[in-house]
Amino acid sequence: MITNEKIRARLTEAIKQSTMSQAEICRFLGIKPPTMSQYLSGRSLPALDTFANLCQVLDVSADYLLELED
């Protein structure tokens, strides 16, 4: 089952493994750091377009972030 906690954990892991800082990712996506903080805390999820762009920036598949693949 897909849960916010699982998405949050995968997103956090992908950001840690990225060559970009959180601030750089925020600038690239046009979001504010508090918004990213909400994603990483599990308080909210990104909009679909932001989610797709996050996948591109982090070079991970949506299936990976959604735990549909390992």
Side-chain angles (χ1 to χ4, degrees):
M1 177 177 281
I2 299 169
T3 64
N4 285 358
E5 180 59 29
K6 290 179 181 180
I7 295 169
R8 184 205 63 75
R10 288 278 176 113
L11 180 57
T12 299
E13 178 185 331
I15 289 172
K16 284 181 183 177
Q17 301 216 357
S18 173
T19 59
M20 297 175 72
S21 70
Q22 282 187 38
E24 290 171 321
I25 294 168
C26 289
R27 278 193 300 275
F28 185 83
L29 296 175
I31 62 174
K32 296 181 181 190
T35 301
M36 179 65 78
S37 178
Q38 289 182 354
Y39 301 159
L40 298 177
S41 70
R43 288 190 308 258
S44 69
L45 292 173
L48 188 56
D49 59 334
T50 303
F51 182 78
N53 289 325
L54 267 170
C55 291
Q56 286 185 327
V57 167
L58 298 172
D59 194 29
V60 296
S61 71
D63 285 351
Y64 173 78
L65 289 181
L66 295 172
E67 267 203 0
L68 299 174
E69 68 179 33
D70 292 328

